[in-house]
Amino acid sequence: AATGRTAAETAEALATATERIGQIDTALDGAGFAHQSELDGARAELADIDEALQMTQETQTTTEAAARIDTETIELDHERVDIRETIEAAAEGIKDRLVESRLRLEIDVPPSIRGFTGDRKRVRQVIYNLLSNAAGFSSPGQTIRVAARNTEDCVVLSVSDQGRGIPQEVQDRVFDRFETDTAGRFSFLWPGRV
């Protein structure tokens, strides 16, 4: 805590900010804007702030989980993971963002897909991070595709999009934990073992 805040204090501050955004949004209804476009602009700015807060909260949660894994203060669950169910749960977390950004999501998981043993919450978080990243770097009208396939001894999951892609010079760092390209072309939170 370089900032001097505990995780609980940070979480409380984020929750308070999110609540305040809701209060401001409600107050905008009675603010008497001269033009509907001014009201719409104010609401769009609030939505952007709210999205940034949500992303900060997700980053904090992932960072805390990775720290607990590193210090072995978190136990990973070893349970059967239903890949279709886990993909759908992760997709639920970004459905509003997909609608707002006019993005399509295709889920391609054959009925014959096998499950596997792992930590269902961590697998869902990794899929959510991949989907969130794809949504963040896609343009309106584009499609994000999640597919799962059985191979001889494992299940292969892929998330693809039609966005601008990751530049060649940074591709080697994509799976480095908490890596972000300084030009803002990609951001990836890798929470560690799943």
Side-chain angles (χ1 to χ4, degrees), residues 169-183:
E169 68 270 14
V170 293
Q171 287 182 9
D172 290 341
R173 299 190 326 259
V174 165
F175 288 103
D176 290 352
R177 187 181 281 186
F178 308 116
E179 183 65 31
T180 300
D181 178 39
T182 55

Side-chain angles (χ1 to χ4, degrees), residues 69-144:
I69 290 170
D70 284 347
T71 61
E72 298 181 8
T73 58
I74 188 173
E75 286 191 36
L76 298 176
D77 292 328
H78 297 281
E79 57 196 338
R80 197 75 183 146
V81 176
D82 178 315
I83 194 64
R84 174 178 286 285
E85 180 182 291
T86 305
I87 290 170
E88 288 172 352
E92 182 70 21
I94 67 160
K95 73 177 185 178
D96 290 342
R97 190 169 174 194
L98 293 172
V99 171
E100 290 166 7
S101 299
R102 296 181 324 194
L103 299 170
R104 289 183 302 279
L105 177 64
E106 292 179 1
I107 298 176
D108 180 12
V109 179
S112 62
I113 197 78
R114 291 188 307 265
F116 58 91
T117 301
D119 188 309
R120 189 177 315 134
K121 287 188 286 189
R122 300 291 164 237
V123 173
R124 183 180 64 234
Q125 183 66 49
V126 168
I127 295 168
Y128 172 84
N129 288 351
L130 291 168
L131 290 172
S132 182
N133 226 35
F137 293 98
S138 294
S139 298
Q142 293 184 330
T143 299
I144 298 168

Side-chain angles (χ1 to χ4, degrees), residues 12-51:
E12 185 177 335
L14 288 169
T16 300
T18 300
E19 181 180 331
R20 185 69 183 124
I21 287 171
Q23 292 168 348
I24 293 169
D25 187 46
T26 300
L28 286 175
D29 286 332
F33 284 95
H35 301 284
Q36 181 66 35
S37 62
E38 291 175 347
L39 176 60
D40 292 344
R43 282 221 164 95
E45 286 182 43
L46 278 177
D48 289 344
I49 293 168
D50 189 46
E51 183 175 350

